[in-house]
Amino acid sequence: MTRSGRRPNILIVMADQLAPHFTGAYGHPVVRTPSLDALAGRGVRFDAAYCNFPLCAPSRFSMLSGQMPASIGAWDNGAEFAASVPTLTHYLRLLGYRTTLSGKMHFIGPDQLHGFEERLTTDIYPSGFALTPDWEAAGVPPSDWYTVASLSEAGPVVTNYQHDFDEEAGFAAVRHLYDLARATDDERPFFLVASFTHPHDPYEARQRWWDLYDHDDVDLPDPIAPGAVDPHTRRLWRGIGAEGVGATPEQCRSARHGYYANTSYFDSWVGRLVEVLDETGRTDDTVVIVISDHGDMLGDRGTFFKMCFFERAARVPFVMAGPGVANRAVPDVCSLVDLLPTLLDIATDGRGDGGGGDGWPEMSTPPAGRSLWELASSGGAGAGDNSGGGNSDGGGSSGGGTNGNRSDSSDAAGEAFGEYTSVLTTQPMFMIRRGRHKWIHCEGDPPLLYDLVDDPLEHNNLAADPAYAELAAAFAVETAQRWDSAALRDQVLASQRSRRVVSAATHAAGTPWWDYSPQRNVAAEYVRDGMNWLHTSRGSRIPTPR
């Protein structure tokens, strides 16, 4: 609760495809993220946060529902998010929150709200089944969505569709924060998600942001020995058209230059939204959280984009600041399914686990994650202080740092799980991150085991090392107990077949999909007939005249 005894407001600012390694807040020596740095400097930075599915839509569905992707049928970017699945937004509404979304959430299916009572913009991507993969095609079909050919187009632009979208999403979110601060009879605390599409490829940046960086200062990824390349990485190479050709050093530098520029652009929106909280006197009663849905390989292991469980693709930034939040870096392993229970604890001051009353609302299904509020709150236990550097993984191009918080990943507690059932594979893929180790399994591939403290770039697979035989065997047994890979594959195939039929019929008939059209009552905006202009002027002003 805030000092006034009211539930705190919650603002989530979400990036798309932002790996924490490529931010100043997490220690990158080149990338400029002053707004994220400032939040981390007065709040909590989670140094081992993961997505649960390294692709946009399934990651978001899992995060919002607090459930693992396979349990809700979040198979890929063309899978429906069922309206019957409760989300954190539904639960916050039950706790009395006013819930609003501005920007991207990649909802697939007829429900385009999923508990948000207001949605200020349309989405940037289609709401139908067009992005359904086909695992029954011969071999592993290439991706027509992600291609290394786009690297040749990386560079400065006047604008593109992604910039147009983020300008709209940012403007709408800023205006909504001002509206919330105006005199109103609605005194509910707010939950606002401002979700941007940058720094997602294409790696094209407006000149202003491109010029923040000297091209020659943009670092290149660390090379990987050919013997350290796993079968899935080779599938990624084939799928994006990089096998045998790859990206030239200049293409790679240009792509990274554009990504860094767009990361700074996203960071500017973080700063603008926090600035509005300051202007309207809401900073002290609003918890601000900055996250992403997944990362970007950005040339590591010779590949780009995501669709794998290596650190650059699977790790996400997770920074929190506001009332009751401590100032520390947390090394504990966590993931996006932990967001739902964490927000419920923030909203109820940590009182309750689904028992009703003053605690959480009654839960339909126990959350798959755990609340991070004890680690994040000023009254809870935590790790790290303000005495060290900002690097959170100690490896490669993420060295250096601008943030004072530091944590030691060798002491990391907690765990995170991941599932992948989309393009560029035809078998489910699984991840377990626990302590300093990460395990990756895909049927037909040799297993992967990495020590992320000694080998943060994941070049040395320990799965066949006799010294790690007991650990590898334990992970293998746990994987078999936790997931039935063959049964999941059958579910994925059945879902793909159904969706392909519906998609083909819908396109053949020219039937519209479910793309969201924002509701807007222009008759009640600005000054209209029947309004007293002076009353309207005074009511719209911040602060309201006495």
Side-chain angles (χ1 to χ4, degrees):
M1 299 293 175
T2 62
R3 293 176 185 173
S4 64
R6 299 179 69 246
R7 301 186 194 276
N9 304 308
I10 302 170
L11 168 65
I12 291 181
V13 189
M14 190 169 188
D16 193 344
Q17 206 161 297
L18 176 58
H21 313 80
F22 305 115
T23 68
Y26 282 84
H28 197 282
V30 176
V31 184
R32 302 179 189 180
T33 52
S35 301
L36 188 59
D37 298 356
L39 280 177
R42 65 179 175 91
V44 164
R45 186 192 68 207
F46 289 93
D47 284 350
Y50 287 82
C51 67
N52 303 100
F53 194 116
L55 199 65
C56 300
S59 178
R60 292 162 185 265
F61 302 171
S62 178
M63 176 192 74
L64 288 170
S65 66
Q67 304 296 326
M68 289 299 293
S71 70
I72 57 171
W75 309 118
D76 50 65
N77 271 350
E80 182 178 355
F81 188 19
S84 59
V85 176
T87 66
L88 60 86
T89 320
H90 290 114
Y91 292 124
L92 288 175
R93 286 182 73 172
L94 290 174
L95 289 171
Y97 276 78
R98 176 176 179 174
T99 59
T100 307
L101 169 63
S102 182
K104 174 184 175 177
M105 202 49 72
H106 210 151
F107 290 145
I108 304 296
D111 185 353
Q112 288 292 304
L113 292 175
H114 290 283
F116 288 101
E117 59 190 280
E118 298 174 276
R119 190 168 181 186
L120 307 180
T121 72
T122 189
D123 215 310
I124 191 168
Y125 292 138
S127 61
F129 299 148
L131 299 182
T132 300
D134 184 0
W135 279 10
E136 295 176 298
V140 178
S143 169
D144 59 0
W145 190 261
Y146 300 103
T147 170
V148 75
S150 66
L151 303 187
S152 62
E153 299 176 8
V157 295
V158 174
T159 193
N160 61 14
Y161 74 95
Q162 293 202 154
H163 284 283
D164 294 346
F165 182 84
D166 278 355
E167 289 293 306
E168 180 183 359
F171 170 82
V174 166
R175 180 171 178 176
H176 186 68
L177 286 177
Y178 282 137
D179 287 343
L180 292 169
R182 293 185 170 103
T184 176
D185 293 333
D186 191 342
E187 296 185 352
R188 292 176 295 169
F190 69 78
F191 173 63
L192 171 63
V193 178
S195 185
F196 299 87
T197 192
H198 282 99
H200 191 292
D201 58 286
Y203 307 113
E204 301 166 355
R206 286 181 171 174
Q207 194 76 49
R208 171 189 173 187
W209 303 104
W210 182 271
D211 290 345
L212 275 180
Y213 297 93
D214 186 314
H215 192 65
D216 294 334
D217 289 341
V218 174
D219 52 315
L220 292 174
D222 293 289
I224 182 172
V229 176
D230 61 290
H232 184 63
T233 295
R234 294 189 181 279
R235 287 195 292 270
L236 293 177
W237 288 354
R238 290 195 297 273
I240 67 174
E243 188 175 43
V245 180
T248 67
E250 181 55 29
Q251 286 176 326
C252 192
R253 179 170 275 117
S254 292
R256 285 189 161 214
H257 190 158
Y259 184 92
Y260 294 178
N262 287 331
T263 297
S264 294
Y265 169 69
F266 165 75
D267 183 77
S268 74
W269 279 113
V270 175
R272 179 69 184 113
L273 292 165
V274 171
E275 180 184 47
V276 176
L277 293 178
D278 291 340
E279 291 174 343
T280 56
R282 293 294 182 90
T283 299
D284 291 339
D285 60 7
T286 303
V287 174
V288 181
I289 300 173
V290 179
I291 53 174
S292 180
D293 52 359
H294 51 74
D296 190 321
M297 292 302 291
L298 214 59
D300 280 352
R301 307 182 79 82
T303 192
F304 283 79
F305 319 122
K306 52 270 186 172
M307 303 169 287
C308 64
F309 284 115
F310 296 110
E311 289 289 277
R312 302 306 191 250
R315 280 267 308 277
V316 294
F318 196 140
V319 172
M320 181 189 305
V325 179
N327 182 209
R328 62 169 67 102
V330 176
D332 295 54
V333 179
C334 60
S335 71
L336 291 178
V337 292
D338 297 329
L339 185 66
L340 184 150
T342 301
L343 292 186
L344 295 186
D345 266 358
I346 290 172
T348 61
D349 204 22
R351 296 195 305 270
D353 56 1
D358 290 334
W360 296 6
E362 183 177 354
M363 310 291 288
S364 65
T365 304
R370 61 178 179 130
S371 173
L372 304 175
W373 184 235
E374 184 177 358
L375 291 168
S377 66
S378 54
D385 55 35
N386 287 334
S387 60
N391 186 10
S392 67
D393 71 1
S397 59
S398 296
T402 59
N403 184 271
N405 294 341
R406 181 174 177 82
S407 63
D408 183 357
S409 59
S410 64
D411 296 330
E415 58 190 11
F417 302 96
E419 302 168 346
Y420 183 75
T421 53
S422 188
V423 294
L424 306 185
T425 182
T426 57
Q427 293 284 349
M429 186 180 302
F430 311 112
M431 178 203 77
I432 302 173
R433 166 73 200 271
R434 183 175 292 121
R436 63 192 291 158
H437 296 109
K438 182 198 287 183
W439 170 264
I440 302 172
H441 171 87
C442 183
E443 203 68 33
D445 292 349
L448 304 176
L449 175 62
Y450 298 103
D451 182 328
L452 296 178
V453 175
D454 292 341
D455 180 27
L457 295 178
E458 302 166 292
H459 288 180
N460 184 23
N461 180 16
L462 304 172
D465 188 328
Y468 291 84
E470 185 176 348
L471 180 62
F475 273 127
V477 169
E478 181 178 355
T479 300
Q481 293 173 340
R482 183 176 289 275
W483 294 285
D484 185 336
S485 184
L488 280 178
R489 187 173 191 273
D490 288 343
Q491 288 180 265
V492 171
L493 288 170
S495 174
Q496 289 179 355
R497 293 180 194 120
S498 296
R499 287 182 278 141
R500 286 201 300 271
V501 170
V502 173
S503 183
T506 302
H507 284 290
T511 308
W513 284 105
W514 306 295
D515 302 305
Y516 186 73
S517 180
Q519 303 299 310
R520 183 175 175 181
N521 181 13
V522 296
E525 294 182 3
Y526 304 113
V527 180
R528 296 292 186 264
D529 288 345
M531 292 182 183
N532 181 293
W533 73 268
L534 184 57
H535 182 268
T536 300
S537 176
R538 288 174 173 169
S540 68
R541 176 179 148 176
I542 303 173
T544 303
R546 294 182 182 274

